[in-house]
Amino acid sequence: ELSLADLDGDGEAEVLVDRSDGFTPCCTLETAILRRDPATGTYGELDRHWGESYRVADLDGDHHAELVSGDLRFYQRFAPRVAGFQLPMKILQLRGPRLVDVSRAHRSLIRRDARSLSRLIRSTDAIADGRRRGSRALARAGLMPQLAAYSAEERVLGHRAVGDRRVSAEVSRGHVSPGFRRELLRFLVRTGYR
């Protein structure tokens, strides 16, 4: 798929070429962002792997479009192969020759997504506890990516302790293991969610 969007606010649209390998059902979308160099007239390419999808939107009205997606590193680390998955929201902006993470500048969107994840965790908890119908094993597997995404977003919002307490509560309930908690906390620090 081919589209145009002025990602850097310079008045000239960049060309976005979406590509997929066509074989796997998810997590294979890549976009080539083509930018024209005004000095030479040639196009340079910047590639980005998104996972399932992304959207282009000027979230704050500054005439610099943002690219809204999920942090694919969480899929690679925490997504179970038997249940759905959630990713923490990641918001990028084209600045110069690279994409810069501007998620922290869009706290209201991150907050809204974290609230949605919190509701999903409560619903999944009810299945894992047997209070609602469904597979308890699948619910427990589904909690891992939900908790990972929620914890990351709470850290983006400056609420590290909120996400950490939520994960600890799930360990206490026996829904996730202490090993998952340790692994998640190390992963969050290693990937810049401090």
Side-chain angles (χ1 to χ4, degrees), residues 13-66:
E14 281 70 39
V15 179
L16 289 81
V17 182
D18 292 340
R19 314 181 270 225
S20 176
D21 69 7
F23 295 107
T24 49
C26 73
C27 307
T28 58
L29 180 64
E30 176 185 48
T31 299
I33 301 170
L34 305 172
R35 303 180 68 198
R36 191 175 79 76
D37 181 339
T40 66
T42 61
Y43 281 83
E45 182 174 329
L46 174 65
D47 292 321
R48 176 69 186 190
H49 293 273
W50 301 107
E52 282 189 299
S53 65
Y54 72 98
R55 68 183 172 96
V56 177
D58 183 1
L59 299 174
D60 50 15
D62 66 353
H63 304 291
H64 288 84
E66 284 79 24

Side-chain angles (χ1 to χ4, degrees), residues 162-178:
V162 172
D164 291 357
R165 277 193 306 269
R166 188 74 173 259
V167 174
S168 293
E170 295 302 328
V171 170
S172 296
R173 288 185 183 104
H175 294 169
V176 296
S177 71

